[in-house]
Amino acid sequence: MLVLFLGWLVISALLTGNRGVNWWGPQDRADGVVMHIVYVVVLLSGWVLAHQTKMRTQLLTGLTLGGVLLALWSLAQQLGLIGVIGEGALQGVIATPAGGPMGQRGYMGGLLALLLPLAIITAGRTRMRWWAFAGVVLMTWALAGAYTRGTWLAGIAGVGWLAVWGWRILPKQVWLAVPLGLCLFAGTLALREPVRDFSGAKGLLDGSQRTVLWNSALYGIVQRPVFGWGAPGVWRAMAARPTSELLKEQEAKDVVTAQRLSQSADEMPAIAVTLSDGKRIVVRTPVNKVHNEYLDYALTYGIPAALMFTVLLGWAIWSGKRLALALSAGLVAYAVYLLTWPEIIRFAPIAWFMMGVCLAYGKQSLYRTTPY
């Protein structure tokens, strides 16, 4: 599966032009074919390390501790104790409140959703680890405080998967940590203004120009279903769409005239618009990646690549549900996160490593019955 997946990405990169971007990815993403080769190497390292007997405890403890430290950073920002460090210092890192070293708050929430099931399992082991219990409280609080709907769904999905398969092996006291963290989040809202206002939102999927991104992705997939458009696929698909459709999806009203400013399909789409009151504005689409990773794989590399990635992720989730339950639940959260967010190299390697561990334990599940 891995050979076929990488092979398809390479063929797509060779056939769709703009080979430099196809190999390295957009400058602010760096998620091209080369990065996917790194992901596969990381997955295989997880496969290998899964066979080391001492790895399980070290993995759970290390990732839980890392999640707690990140949660503390995010909470400090949410409570106004620290500001944004390095804002604008690194291209592609949008440092916003409650984002911390992960940049955008949605990225921080996605990572915490990935790691929260591991913290719950760590807290629920034979000897109650109270530091891990406190870590679950802090991570739940920070995840809720990320105030991003997609990450909320991811967290619910991961904890829900863990509850379905692990309710018999985890002490009941452990589950008290999650509602306690939610109560602290409610207290934060009572003391401080929320970082976002959802009033008037059209629904869960509203925001980040998802309407135009998803419709452009679907349009592009239908046009080139086998090998895709290459990177940046969503901008290339937008360049082929009628201007009127793009403006309608971005809710540009009372438009009298519209003219495309972008000279290349690989540049940010920009449309100069004259409104009925004589005002002139420029409507831009700065996001160069579909906020749905499954659609983005299909758009950039073709439907077969998207199917292989989906099968690989689902295979890992199912393989780990017995002997690597914490990692399996974390991957469920990751899979749901990718429905409304792109795959972020800031923590995607952790997810691919977990996939390798789960796939390795899938082969051992026939002979062992003690999960972690």
Side-chain angles (χ1 to χ4, degrees):
M1 178 67 75
L2 292 174
V3 171
L4 289 174
F5 178 68
L6 286 181
W8 202 274
L9 264 58
V10 169
I11 294 173
S12 173
L14 293 174
L15 294 179
T16 54
N18 198 4
R19 297 179 183 178
V21 178
N22 286 341
W23 286 106
W24 302 107
Q27 189 175 8
D28 60 340
R29 299 285 183 180
D31 60 350
V33 175
V34 173
M35 183 56 67
H36 281 83
I37 295 174
V38 174
Y39 288 164
V40 170
V41 172
V42 170
L43 183 150
L44 294 175
S45 69
W47 173 281
V48 172
L49 292 177
H51 296 87
Q52 297 186 10
T53 56
K54 295 182 179 180
M55 191 277 297
R56 294 194 303 174
T57 301
Q58 294 174 348
L59 177 63
L60 286 176
T61 302
L63 290 177
T64 298
L65 182 58
V68 172
L69 294 175
L70 288 171
L72 287 172
W73 180 289
S74 181
L75 289 171
Q77 282 197 344
Q78 292 174 30
L79 296 173
L81 301 178
I82 60 175
V84 176
I85 297 177
E87 183 174 7
L90 296 175
Q91 186 177 13
V93 178
I94 306 174
T96 57
M102 289 296 295
Q104 223 276 354
R105 69 173 66 89
Y107 304 160
M108 175 68 83
L111 176 57
L112 291 174
L114 177 71
L115 298 180
L116 181 57
L118 280 70
I120 294 174
I121 286 286
T122 303
R125 301 188 65 151
T126 304
R127 293 183 178 181
M128 193 67 174
R129 296 190 176 183
W130 292 104
W131 71 267
F133 182 91
V136 175
V137 174
L138 293 173
M139 291 171 67
T140 303
W141 183 7
L143 171 57
Y147 225 71
T148 307
R149 291 160 292 191
T151 62
W152 286 348
L153 275 181
I156 292 170
V159 174
W161 181 266
L162 187 64
V164 168
W165 294 98
W167 65 273
R168 292 182 178 180
I169 63 172
L170 290 173
K172 295 181 180 179
Q173 307 92 297
V174 172
W175 299 107
L176 296 176
V178 173
L180 181 55
L182 294 176
C183 289
L184 291 172
F185 166 64
T188 304
L189 290 182
L191 294 174
R192 298 179 58 85
E193 291 291 329
V195 294
R196 298 178 68 188
D197 182 9
F198 289 147
S199 62
K202 295 179 179 179
L204 182 65
L205 305 180
D206 183 62
S208 298
Q209 299 181 311
R210 284 183 175 86
T211 299
V212 66
L213 293 175
W214 289 14
N215 286 340
S216 297
L218 293 173
Y219 172 87
I221 292 169
V222 171
Q223 298 298 316
R224 300 183 183 181
V226 182
F227 292 108
W229 293 69
V234 68
W235 285 357
R236 290 182 168 188
M238 284 184 185
R241 297 185 65 198
T243 301
S244 59
E245 291 184 3
L246 299 179
L247 291 175
K248 181 179 179 180
E249 291 166 6
Q250 302 204 63
E251 299 185 351
K253 300 178 180 180
D254 301 322
V255 175
V256 177
T257 62
Q259 180 181 4
R260 299 257 185 150
L261 298 180
S262 303
Q263 300 299 315
S264 169
D266 298 326
E267 297 177 354
M268 179 194 306
I271 306 173
V273 172
T274 303
L275 304 180
S276 57
D277 59 1
K279 185 179 180 180
R280 296 181 179 180
I281 62 174
V282 177
V283 179
R284 293 184 173 89
T285 308
V287 183
N288 58 8
K289 196 169 175 68
V290 183
H291 274 51
N292 180 303
E293 195 61 25
Y294 309 100
L295 290 179
D296 195 84
Y297 273 116
L299 177 65
T300 306
Y301 302 109
I303 292 177
L307 290 176
M308 283 186 277
F309 171 75
T310 304
V311 169
L312 190 64
L313 182 54
W315 188 1
I317 290 171
W318 192 254
S319 296
K321 73 181 188 303
R322 291 187 61 190
L323 297 183
L325 179 57
L327 306 187
S328 176
L331 290 177
V332 168
Y334 188 64
V336 173
Y337 175 81
L338 294 182
L339 289 172
T340 53
W341 285 86
E343 194 166 52
I344 305 301
I345 62 174
R346 295 170 180 85
F347 65 89
I350 299 176
W352 283 76
F353 179 84
M354 290 164 57
M355 288 167 61
V357 176
C358 285
L359 290 169
Y361 273 99
K363 283 187 169 292
Q364 299 181 29
S365 63
L366 298 175
Y367 309 104
R368 300 175 59 186
T369 58
T370 304
Y372 77 97

